[in-house]
């Protein structure tokens, strides 16, 4: 089945079995192996990408459902010689050990900071309409969809806080 | 995953016709694809409803809100009207799943998500819901997360949704479109079936019947809260949850809408409990009488016995919070 996607700004025409998840389309058909497969069941966040600007789990959606959509992967967020502020902060704050969860963490955090800028409350926000400060509690809650088997959480939170501060 | 025929529905009418002849709707896909990967569900045809025009949230004439079936959990939780007038719904949505999942999960799909019973997911085990007549491995098995109310000898699964619990407390109704073009409105009480001897049948929806919207009645002047108790602070399903909407006048409770998650095969509401509270002055003794009544027919299965005292404590705590100002 033919599916047209714009991946990191580049139009792609793919011929796929309808069973192909967006994650498998990225990794196996387009060679974009930055997005990782941890659980393949929406439980770990390693496969997080942005579709039309929103973070989703690429393992729990079919590529064919996204015909015409714009997908941003970790490869589109920055490159080794041109790191995004979040990528830079993960390096400087040592926000990982093995690094397997890191692309998902960074895609998720990139979209999460946008959600905060748009005034989205979280489960731990006191006032649903009052906006939120990026406390450790807020960052942890908003990033709870990204697990880290190495438990690098304290440094992940620091990296996000640092990148958010620089953007503010 | 078994192979299937994929169709993108061009209209609600076409979607219902395709689904009536053996197709299965896919919305966000966050529950269905999970189950298809495990071959717990193996639809022959998927009807993708994502391009249908069902993603609006609009006010109704009587001051309520009509929520399109494809509105995502994120968009619903963040809608300024919902935050202001139906905060229990925002709170319940924000307590569910993760940021990524809420961006995909839809209003219709959330209502119809399947149980998280471990044996339902494990095709090597007996499960009357997955394989009717095979038995229920959970009754004498690992049933920590399962139901204590509304169960049958054939199934003790819980409905896992947080959103549906808040909607039940709010008196929401689902609007549907049938294959023959007729529409109907179902309260959530009417929508969900108890397991009885057919746990594979979970709702009254007919083959091909599409949920098009959920309608909230006009907001009431009352305090609202959603309390979710779970094994970890985030990204976990409820063991017990309570959606509470409570109004007070002159030191007495004038309204107490209470819905419970994690306890039953559907979001649970008990009119007798609400009646017992109405007209009374709040007190610990009253709240415990309400818990006695709620749990009068409750039955644990070993691993989930703890839910009885946990429900009591959660209910008392929620009622205390919602009546507090007036009690001081
Ligand atoms: C790791 C994880 C954690 C989660 N945690 C929580 C949690 O804490 N709380 C919670 O409440 N939920 C939780 N969820 C569940 C999540 O909320 C549901 O998967 C989601 O709401 C389902 O919506 P969907 O649009 O993706 O449905 P789909 O998967 O697309 O569909 C689900 C079912 O509904 C049917 N359907 C969909 N739309 C319609 C319609 N309009 N009319 C008729 N039938 C329809 C489909 O045919 C299918 O049978 C979690 C899920 C995961 C994977
Ligand atoms: S409780 Fe219901 S879903 Fe779980 S094993 Fe028993 S029949 Fe299956
Ligand atoms: S691989 Fe998608 S959430 Fe784990
Ligand atoms: S750094 Fe190893 S899983 Fe997160």
């Amino acid at each position: 089945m033919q599916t047209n996607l714009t991946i990191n700004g580049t139009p792609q025409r793919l011929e796929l079995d309808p069973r192909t998840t967006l994650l498998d389309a990225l990794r196996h058909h387009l060679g974009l192996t930055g997005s990782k497969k941890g659980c393949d069941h929406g439980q770990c966040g390693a496969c997080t990408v942005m579709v039309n600007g929103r973070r989703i789990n690429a393992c729990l959606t079919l590529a064919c459902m996204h015909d015409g959509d714009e997908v941003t992967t970790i490869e589109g967020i920055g490159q080794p010689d041109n790191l995004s502020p979040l990528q830079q902060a993960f390096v400087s704050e040592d926000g990982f050990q093995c690094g397997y969860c890191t692309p998902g963490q960074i895609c998720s955090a990139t979209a999460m900071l946008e959600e905060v800028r748009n005034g989205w409350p979280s489960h731990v926000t006191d006032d649903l309409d009052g906006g939120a400060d990026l406390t450790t509690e807020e960052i942890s809650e908003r990033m709870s969809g990204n697990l880290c088997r190495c438990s690098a959480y304290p440094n992940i939170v620091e990296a996000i806080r640092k990148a958010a501060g620089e953007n503010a | 995953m078994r192979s299937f025929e994929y169709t993108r529905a061009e209209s609600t009418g076409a979607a219902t016709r395709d689904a009536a002849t053996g197709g299965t709707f896919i919305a966000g896909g966050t529950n269905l694809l999970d189950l298809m990967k495990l071959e717990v569900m193996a639809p022959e045809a998927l009807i993708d409803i994502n391009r249908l025009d069902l993603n609006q949230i609009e006010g109704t004439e009587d001051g309520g809100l009509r929520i399109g079936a494809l509105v995502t959990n994120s968009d619903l939780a963040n809608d300024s009207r919902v935050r202001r007038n139906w905060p229990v719904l925002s709170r319940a949505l924000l307590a569910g799943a993760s940021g990524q999942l809420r961006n995909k999960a839809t209003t219709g799909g959330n209502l119809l998500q399947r149980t998280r019973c471990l044996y339902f997911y494990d095709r090597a085990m007996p499960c009357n819901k997955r394989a009717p007549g095979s038995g229920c491995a959970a009754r004498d098995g690992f049933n920590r997360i399962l139901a204590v109310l509304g169960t049958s000898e054939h199934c003790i699964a819980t409905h896992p949704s947080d959103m549906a619990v808040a909607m039940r407390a709010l008196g929401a109704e689902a609007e549907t479109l049938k294959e023959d073009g007729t529409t109907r409105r179902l309260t959530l009480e009417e929508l969900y079936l108890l397991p009885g001897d057919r746990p594979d049948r979970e709702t009254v929806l007919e083959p091909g019947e599409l949920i098009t919207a959920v309608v909230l009645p006009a907001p009431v002047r009352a305090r609202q809260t959603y309390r979710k108790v779970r094994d970890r602070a985030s990204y976990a399903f409820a063991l017990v949850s309570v959606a509470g909407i409570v109004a007070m006048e002159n030191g007495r409770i004038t309204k107490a809408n209470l819905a419970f998650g994690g306890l039953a095969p559907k979001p649970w509401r008990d009119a007798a409990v609400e009646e017992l509270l109405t007209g009374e002055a709040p007190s610990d003794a009253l709240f415990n009488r309400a818990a006695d009544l709620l749990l009068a027919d409750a039955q644990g299965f070993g691993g989930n016995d703890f839910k009885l005292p946990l429900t009591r404590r959660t209910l008392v705590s929620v009622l205390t919070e919602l009546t507090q100002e007036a009690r001081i």
Side-chain angles (χ1 to χ4, degrees):
Chain A
M1 136 145 242
Q2 188 178 305
T3 302
N4 294 299
L5 298 167
T6 302
I7 315 274
N8 301 325
T10 309
Q12 302 279 359
R13 173 172 299 195
L14 296 167
E15 193 56 45
L16 300 168
D17 184 309
R19 284 175 288 185
T20 315
T21 62
L22 179 59
L23 179 61
D24 286 343
L26 293 169
R27 290 182 55 86
H28 300 314
H29 296 265
L30 292 165
L32 292 168
T33 52
S35 307
K36 296 292 184 268
K37 186 183 284 188
C39 63
D40 213 19
H41 286 280
Q43 298 173 356
C44 76
C47 64
T48 305
V49 300
M50 290 187 277
V51 172
N52 303 333
R54 293 218 175 158
R55 52 176 169 161
I56 68 163
N57 302 109
C59 71
L60 269 196
T61 193
L62 299 172
C64 58
M65 291 161 64
H66 291 283
D67 191 58
D69 284 351
E70 297 201 13
V71 183
T72 306
T73 68
I74 190 68
E75 289 90 346
I77 284 180
Q79 289 291 326
D81 55 357
N82 181 23
L83 297 178
S84 80
L86 262 166
Q87 288 174 317
Q88 188 62 58
F90 268 70
V91 174
S92 65
E93 300 308 307
D94 207 11
F96 40 74
Q97 273 187 47
C98 76
Y100 196 80
C101 71
T102 313
Q105 299 278 2
I106 291 175
C107 282
S108 184
T110 302
M112 181 276 280
L113 293 178
E114 187 61 26
E115 294 167 6
V116 174
R117 278 192 285 276
N118 290 334
W120 287 19
S122 84
H123 171 62
V124 299
T125 311
D126 281 335
D127 178 355
L128 286 174
D129 269 325
D133 293 332
L134 275 180
T135 58
T136 299
E137 197 191 11
E138 281 281 358
I139 294 174
S140 302
E141 167 58 29
R142 289 169 191 266
M143 292 296 293
S144 70
N146 291 85
L147 307 190
C148 174
R149 187 64 185 80
C150 301
S151 213
Y153 296 113
N155 292 3
I156 293 171
V157 171
E158 265 327 299
I160 293 171
R161 204 199 315 273
K162 184 171 178 201
E166 284 167 3
N167 272 351
Chain B
M1 199 187 290
R2 304 270 185 83
S3 62
F4 52 82
E5 204 181 306
Y6 172 86
T7 314
R8 188 172 297 136
E10 304 291 343
S11 67
T12 50
T16 54
R17 282 191 295 279
D18 288 345
T21 50
T24 299
F25 299 126
I26 184 163
T30 60
N31 189 227
L32 183 57
L33 290 170
D34 194 5
L35 292 166
M36 284 172 65
K37 287 181 184 197
L38 298 165
E39 296 186 7
V40 170
M41 290 178 78
E44 276 165 22
L46 278 192
I47 318 298
D48 182 350
I49 59 173
N50 282 290
R51 305 294 158 109
L52 298 180
D53 187 22
L54 299 174
N55 53 10
Q56 255 74 262
I57 307 178
E58 31 183 44
T60 61
E61 270 172 24
D62 59 2
L65 210 59
R66 174 176 285 103
I67 303 155
L70 290 172
V71 171
T72 65
N73 287 181
S74 293
D75 282 330
L76 186 54
N78 289 304
D79 185 89
S80 58
R81 291 159 292 187
V82 177
R83 286 196 243 176
R84 204 175 323 119
N85 296 326
W86 297 272
V88 64
L89 180 56
S90 281
R91 288 289 178 197
L93 286 159
L94 292 171
S98 67
Q100 289 96 314
L101 287 160
R102 291 193 293 271
N103 279 339
K104 277 298 280 171
T106 64
T107 305
N110 191 315
L111 285 178
L112 298 183
Q113 61 175 300
R114 313 292 305 272
T115 185
R116 308 306 287 199
C117 173
L118 299 169
Y119 304 103
F120 176 69
Y121 272 75
D122 183 350
R123 287 194 301 133
M125 300 299 286
C127 168
N128 288 325
K129 191 185 274 302
R130 174 172 36 73
S134 62
C136 171
R139 276 188 83 91
D140 300 315
F142 189 82
N143 51 38
R144 176 178 164 73
I145 63 172
L146 298 180
V148 296
L149 286 166
T151 59
S152 76
E153 63 176 295
H154 303 283
C155 181
I156 61 170
T158 45
H159 191 276
S161 170
D162 292 298
M163 180 195 83
V165 177
M167 285 181 170
R168 182 88 208 268
L170 288 165
E173 294 183 350
E175 283 185 350
T176 72
L177 175 69
K178 290 200 227 181
E179 186 222 354
D180 63 6
T182 59
T183 60
R184 59 172 168 165
R185 265 205 196 199
L186 299 162
T187 64
L188 296 199
E189 166 68 7
E190 292 161 345
L191 173 68
Y192 296 110
L193 294 168
L194 288 177
D197 58 3
R198 287 296 302 276
D200 55 314
R201 287 178 31 197
E202 295 172 352
T203 69
V204 297
L205 297 181
E206 295 169 11
E209 191 166 356
L210 176 75
I211 296 180
T212 51
V214 171
V215 179
L216 301 181
V220 287
R221 273 175 53 89
R223 297 183 67 183
Q224 309 185 7
T225 196
Y226 186 74
R227 185 83 62 88
K228 178 172 177 179
V229 185
R230 44 186 158 172
D231 277 326
R232 53 175 190 232
S234 187
Y235 205 15
F237 285 91
L239 291 167
V240 171
S241 71
V242 181
I245 303 172
V246 174
M248 302 269 298
E249 235 170 80
N250 303 324
R252 292 190 177 266
I253 297 169
T254 53
K255 177 197 251 328
N257 293 6
L258 299 166
F260 300 84
L263 296 185
K266 61 181 187 178
W268 197 255
R269 212 171 145 176
D270 187 329
V273 171
E274 298 179 14
E275 216 167 285
L276 179 143
L277 290 163
T278 308
E280 300 295 321
S283 71
D284 280 350
L286 176 71
F287 298 161
N288 274 295
R289 286 216 314 279
D292 290 339
L293 189 57
L294 174 72
L295 297 169
D297 295 327
Q299 182 197 358
F301 296 89
N304 64 356
D305 290 350
F306 74 97
K307 284 194 177 182
L308 278 66
L310 183 61
T311 302
R312 174 180 299 275
R313 288 199 298 271
T314 311
L315 175 60
V316 170
S317 167
V318 162
L319 288 172
T320 305
E321 177 194 321
L322 290 176
T323 56
Q324 212 157 35
E325 266 170 25
R327 287 174 86 185
I328 299 169

